[in-house]
Amino acid sequence: MFDRPFAVEIITPEQTVLKVQAVSISAPGVQGGFQVLYGHAPLLSSLGPGKVQVQEEGGVTHVYATGGGFLEVRDNHVIAMLDSAERVEDIDVERARAARDRAAERLRKHDAHVDAVRAEAALHRAINRLRIAGVS
Ligand code: ATP
């Protein structure tokens, strides 16, 4: 039963990133990573920065770095609405390093004008991109 396909759609504000029949999707829930297979109960989950992995029927696997978003499961239809989603090969490593260093510097300064929550979120997104790209 668990290798039966179901519909998976990944969208960002800019585009539909993926729309396939899949046998599995795993996602970085804010309370921990989880996997959805055929027949999963209805679910609405917030996602944090991490890795979204979709295994298509037939074996093709798609891996994305995401900054977070929401994932809904209903009637064997999964929609992941993500702030951002980059394929591993599309991650701009130098950009992510620059974003990481900028955010770390902002946090280090303890400046009252710096929005620390925003800087921390940017730091996590950048570190996640680097981790998924396999660099640091
Ligand atoms: P930056 O400060 O470099 O813009 P960010 O974390 O603030 O990084 P986001 O707001 O998460 O960026 O994403 C904005 C857009 O830029 C999204 O479309 C995202 O996919 C893309 N993006 C951001 N960083 C990278 C990167 N290192 N490589 C590829 N695409 C990226």
Side-chain angles (χ1 to χ4, degrees):
M1 166 172 167
F2 288 141
D3 57 1
R4 281 178 66 178
F6 55 95
V8 167
E9 222 173 312
I10 297 180
I11 60 176
T12 65
E14 288 96 22
Q15 59 180 322
T16 296
V17 171
L18 187 71
K19 194 170 177 180
V20 292
Q21 290 291 311
V23 294
S24 164
I25 174 168
S26 57
V30 285
Q31 289 168 5
F34 62 88
Q35 183 182 26
V36 175
L37 303 172
Y38 183 88
H40 198 287
L43 171 76
L44 180 60
S45 173
S46 298
L47 307 180
K51 177 158 87 172
V52 172
Q53 188 161 328
V54 178
Q55 197 188 334
E56 266 193 64
E57 189 184 12
V60 177
T61 299
H62 306 268
V63 177
Y64 302 93
T66 183
F70 295 94
L71 183 145
E72 181 193 64
V73 185
R74 200 194 315 159
D75 295 336
N76 286 308
H77 194 134
V78 176
I79 302 185
M81 285 157 281
L82 306 179
D83 300 341
S84 62
E86 300 103 43
R87 290 180 178 277
V88 180
E89 58 270 27
D90 293 335
I91 294 174
D92 180 335
V93 168
E94 284 316 312
R95 177 174 168 179
R97 282 189 178 126
R100 175 196 61 191
D101 295 347
R102 203 164 51 238
E105 179 63 15
R106 287 194 172 123
L107 289 168
R108 200 185 57 76
K109 276 185 187 158
H110 295 299
D111 185 329
H113 297 293
V114 168
D115 181 341
V117 173
R118 188 171 153 195
E120 251 174 55
L123 183 63
H124 284 133
R125 290 195 299 276
I127 289 173
N128 178 57
R129 287 182 172 113
L130 294 170
R131 189 174 56 84
I132 292 176
V135 297
S136 60

